[in-house]
């Protein structure tokens, strides 16, 4: 029995990451094929030579479509991780309990003198390492947002300039593209959808349930129960 558990342990213990990671790759592949077909239709309409799939995957058009979605997702998690330190929603499992707003005490967070034997090594320290580690999740999400935002802006500049040249218009600089309507239209239409999704999840989970999910309260929990997961 223990041997069977060891053999199946990796797939079971990492099934959430593996399932979503695999789905991500499949959807990305689907986007590549669909985007390639759509882009070639535009080229054909303009009387230009079409691209192979490999050429499309290396193009700025594919890069900007991918990175503009990535940066909005990382922005969502960055804001959510830091926002939920202080912001609360009565009755939501997405919120901390109402009396726990703020970074909480060392005892509650099990750091420094209150760390346990199996606590991460940096959680047991009392210097800059603990401060850095205690904010590492949100900081990495912020960094991933900034990097994907930068990649989107660079790829977007290249894609925009390609379109400009097709229309016999002069190209623009990276700085000029950052101030353009095209850049902010791409960014804001993704940001608003992510913020709406977070707000909807926070309030709908007050009244609705999903049995067995840690994103939901237990089915029988009161609507006013806050910070309780199923």
């Amino acid at each position: 029995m223990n041997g069977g558990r060891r053999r199946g342990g990796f797939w079971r213990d990492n099934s959430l990451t593996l399932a979503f990671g695999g789905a991500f790759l499949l959807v990305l592949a689907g986007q590549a094929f669909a985007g390639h077909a759509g882009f070639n239709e535009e080229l054909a309409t303009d009387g230009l030579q079409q691209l192979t799939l490999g050429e499309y995957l290396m193009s700025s058009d594919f890069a900007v479509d991918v990175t503009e979605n990535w940066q909005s997702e990382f922005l969502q998690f960055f804001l959510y991780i830091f926002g939920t330190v202080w912001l609360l929603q009565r009755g939501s499992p997405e919120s901390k309990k109402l009396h726990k707003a703020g970074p909480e005490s060392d005892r509650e967070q099990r750091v420094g003198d209150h760390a346990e034997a199996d606590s991460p090594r940096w959680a047991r320290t009392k210097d800059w390492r603990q401060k850095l580690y205690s904010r590492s999740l949100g900081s990495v999400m912020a960094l991933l947002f900034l990097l994907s935002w930068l990649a989107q802006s660079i790829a977007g500049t290249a894609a925009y300039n390609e379109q400009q040249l097709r229309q016999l218009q002069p190209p623009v600089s990276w700085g000029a593209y950052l101030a353009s309507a095209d850049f902010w239209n791409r960014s804001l239409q993704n940001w608003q959808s992510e913020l709406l999704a977070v707000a909807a999840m926070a309030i709908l989970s007050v009244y609705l349930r999903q049995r067995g999910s840690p994103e939901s309260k237990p089915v029988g929990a009161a609507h006013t129960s806050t910070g309780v997961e199923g």
Side-chain angles (χ1 to χ4, degrees), residues 55-68:
E55 290 171 333
Y56 175 71
L57 293 179
M58 298 299 293
S59 71
S60 57
D61 290 84
F62 178 68
V64 71
D65 286 343
V66 170
T67 54
E68 74 180 26

Side-chain angles (χ1 to χ4, degrees), residues 91-217:
S92 177
E94 300 297 314
S95 167
K96 295 194 296 184
K97 293 182 182 297
L98 300 179
H99 65 280
K100 287 191 173 183
E104 302 180 8
S105 67
D106 286 355
R107 180 183 297 276
E108 290 173 311
Q109 288 292 309
R110 290 179 285 182
V111 297
D113 293 332
H114 304 284
E116 299 176 351
D118 58 352
S119 296
R121 184 175 61 181
W122 281 24
R124 298 196 295 267
T125 65
K126 299 180 181 180
D127 53 23
W128 62 271
R129 290 172 295 175
Q130 183 201 116
K131 295 182 183 298
L132 179 63
Y133 187 67
S134 66
R135 294 166 179 81
S136 57
L137 180 59
S139 298
V140 168
M141 287 296 178
L143 177 61
L144 290 172
F145 161 67
L146 291 173
L147 290 175
S148 54
W149 179 86
L150 177 62
Q152 178 209 343
S153 67
I154 294 172
T157 303
Y160 184 79
N161 282 336
E162 287 179 6
Q163 187 177 35
Q164 287 286 94
L165 293 173
R166 284 184 214 146
Q167 298 173 352
L168 303 180
Q169 298 293 322
V172 300
S173 66
W174 177 66
Y177 179 69
L178 290 184
S180 71
D182 183 81
F183 174 74
W184 286 106
N185 180 52
R186 285 178 175 271
S187 296
L188 293 174
Q189 66 178 314
N190 284 285
W191 294 1
Q192 55 87 14
S193 63
E194 302 301 336
L195 295 173
L196 174 62
V198 171
M201 183 64 180
I203 190 63
L204 290 177
S205 61
V206 175
Y207 303 103
L208 306 179
R209 309 286 188 271
Q210 182 60 52
R211 185 169 184 153
S213 174
E215 299 303 313
S216 167
K217 293 186 288 188

